[in-house]
Amino acid sequence: LHEKNLDTFRNLVGRMRDMSTGESGPLIIMQLHHSGRYGSHPKILFHEPEIDREAKIAQDFPILSDAELDRIADDVVEAGRLAKRSGVDAIDLKCCHGYLFYELLRARTREGRYGGSYARRTDLVFRIIARLHEEVGIACAVRMDAFSAEPFPYGWGVAPDGSLDLDEPIRFARDLADLGVRIVNVSNGSPFVRPYLSRPFNSDHHPPEHPLLSIERLLHCAREIQQAVPDLAVVASGFSG
């Protein structure tokens, strides 16, 4: 999304509204995200042996600086301005599936302003959302992972023993609600590494657990977040594949 193709997006949004039925019409949300280590020009926040191997990231590959992350935040806010001009109702900041803002949530081993504690790992996401609300005037939704299954300290929603721990995901959802976010989509895991967590596999793919266990876990995560943060509209996805 940029100035040269803005009219194309605006026309698309207009056509969607023209074709809608009912009094309220559709709620149109545009997803904004940064591909991170999975983009055509990879960017990483920290090194993690398993994920580095999967994404073919060398051990000496440079890590994004805090200043570079600040510039990415500026770019996201600018994309939000363009999204609003296109006529959408809200934007979705993608914090799941192995991409950059998801890596922020897991950046316990990162040094600097955006790594280590929960407050530092979530700070950039929260500031982007606040700026989109205050500077752009557009509503925000968030697609978030609840459980990543990476071993501690690299995991999100993971206890030191590797088990499910929803303390931080629930805290994250509650903080999003306090910022004015009203819709959260809950998913689990990176499809690049553990696709079975959010995309139930049939027996041909030999997942490490029965697909119904993956579905039950995702339902459990969404239910726990919804009950803990009742003001949020919590949507879970990935029950068929």
Side-chain angles (χ1 to χ4, degrees), residues 20-87:
S20 65
T21 59
E23 295 182 0
S24 61
L27 179 67
I28 302 176
I29 302 177
M30 182 182 293
Q31 186 175 90
L32 303 181
H33 87 116
H34 190 295
S35 295
R37 67 176 64 227
Y38 296 105
S40 55
H41 302 283
K43 306 292 183 184
I44 68 171
L45 301 179
F46 54 89
H47 282 283
E48 176 182 356
E50 179 187 15
I51 308 298
D52 283 358
R53 286 194 301 271
E54 187 279 329
K56 297 180 174 58
I57 299 294
Q59 292 183 354
D60 59 352
F61 193 86
I63 291 172
L64 280 173
S65 68
D66 289 348
E68 287 173 313
L69 280 172
D70 289 335
R71 289 194 290 272
I72 287 172
D74 291 339
D75 290 340
V76 173
V77 173
E78 181 57 31
R81 296 184 200 279
L82 293 171
K84 182 177 182 180
R85 289 170 58 192
S86 78

Side-chain angles (χ1 to χ4, degrees), residues 43-47 62-70 100 103-117 120-121 124 153-154:
K43 306 292 183 184
I44 68 171
L45 301 179
F46 54 89
H47 282 283
I63 291 172
L64 280 173
S65 68
D66 289 348
E68 287 173 313
L69 280 172
D70 289 335
L100 190 77
E103 284 212 344
L104 271 173
L105 301 181
R106 303 189 300 112
R108 289 187 182 89
T109 61
R110 177 184 171 86
E111 298 179 354
R113 287 186 289 127
Y114 299 124
S117 70
R120 292 203 297 267
R121 286 182 277 126
L124 193 69
Y154 302 111

